[in-house]
């Protein structure tokens, strides 16, 4: 193979890998088999986070501490808890980037989250329209669809 052809092939492969990496990071769709209980119980208080944002162990930790769920008693019927936990664990991330056990069981304390949001000033998180880093939908317009593209962000002015 000629040196020019090798360079061209290398460039194409690198471009495809880079594009697919950005696409994955920007889109994390909700699995189609989400139990109705996940939407009813979890999304009644906060965004129904795509399970691929955390590792299986992190989801187990979150679901085993519902009586003290970030300052709220989010306890559910044991059968519902088992159903949601099973689904979250089954659909948890398998990608190394997201696989760490989340500190304090918070998506917002993971290494990847901090790295992706390092340019956001601390006062932005305190704005009435944002409230906290956990409120993905405040800035990510299509967060509810599992789309977190940096090209589709609108940070509230207030």
């Amino acid at each position: 193979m000629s040196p020019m052809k090798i360079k061209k092939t290398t460039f194409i492969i690198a471009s495809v890998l880079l594009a697919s990496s950005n696409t994955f990071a920007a889109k994390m769709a909700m699995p189609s088999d989400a139990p109705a209980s996940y939407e009813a119980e979890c999304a009644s208080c906060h965004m129904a986070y795509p399970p691929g944002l955390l590792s299986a162990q992190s989801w187990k930790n979150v679901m085993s501490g519902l009586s003290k769920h970030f300052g709220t008693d989010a306890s559910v019927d044991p059968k519902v808890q088992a159903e949601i936990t099973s689904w979250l664990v089954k659909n948890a991330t398998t990608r190394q980037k997201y696989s760490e056990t989340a500190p304090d069981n918070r998506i917002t304390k993971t290494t990847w989250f901090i790295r992706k949001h390092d340019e956001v000033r601390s006062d932005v998180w305190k704005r009435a329209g944002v409230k906290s880093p956990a409120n993905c939908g405040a800035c990510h317009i299509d967060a509810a669809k599992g789309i977190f593209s940096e090209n589709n962000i609108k940070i509230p002015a207030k």
Side-chain angles (χ1 to χ4, degrees):
M1 193 182 287
S2 73
M4 185 61 161
K5 202 167 200 169
I6 291 173
K7 283 183 180 181
K8 191 174 186 178
T9 303
T10 302
F11 175 77
I12 291 170
I13 291 170
S15 297
V16 168
L17 289 173
L18 184 60
S20 65
S21 172
N22 288 338
T23 299
F24 182 84
K27 184 167 183 164
M28 192 167 293
M30 187 67 69
S32 61
D33 64 342
S37 57
Y38 185 61
E39 188 71 29
E41 297 294 343
C42 304
S44 65
C45 294
H46 57 72
M47 178 185 142
Y49 298 107
L53 291 175
L54 286 176
S55 67
Q57 185 58 54
S58 291
W59 283 121
K60 287 177 191 175
N61 294 346
V62 168
M63 294 303 294
S64 67
L66 291 178
S67 64
K68 296 178 182 171
H69 188 65
F70 307 109
T72 302
D73 184 352
S75 299
V76 295
D77 175 81
K79 184 178 175 184
V80 171
Q81 184 174 354
E83 175 186 47
I84 295 171
T85 301
S86 175
W87 178 77
L88 288 168
V89 169
K90 180 180 90 174
N91 291 287
T93 189
T94 56
R95 291 190 40 112
Q96 183 66 33
K97 176 179 180 179
Y98 301 100
S99 67
E100 73 179 288
T101 300
D104 301 326
N105 302 318
R106 292 182 180 270
I107 293 169
T108 58
K109 290 191 175 184
T110 59
T111 303
W112 66 263
F113 182 94
I114 292 168
R115 185 176 56 249
K116 293 299 280 182
H117 297 86
D118 64 350
E119 73 280 1
V120 179
R121 296 185 327 267
S122 60
D123 66 293
V124 171
W125 301 122
K126 297 172 187 165
R127 293 178 185 170
V130 177
K131 296 182 182 140
S132 86
N135 186 11
C136 305
C139 302
H140 293 277
I141 296 165
D142 292 319
K145 297 176 190 171
I147 300 171
F148 301 95
S149 171
E150 292 182 15
N151 298 324
N152 203 13
I153 292 176
K154 185 174 182 183
I155 298 174
K158 295 180 181 187

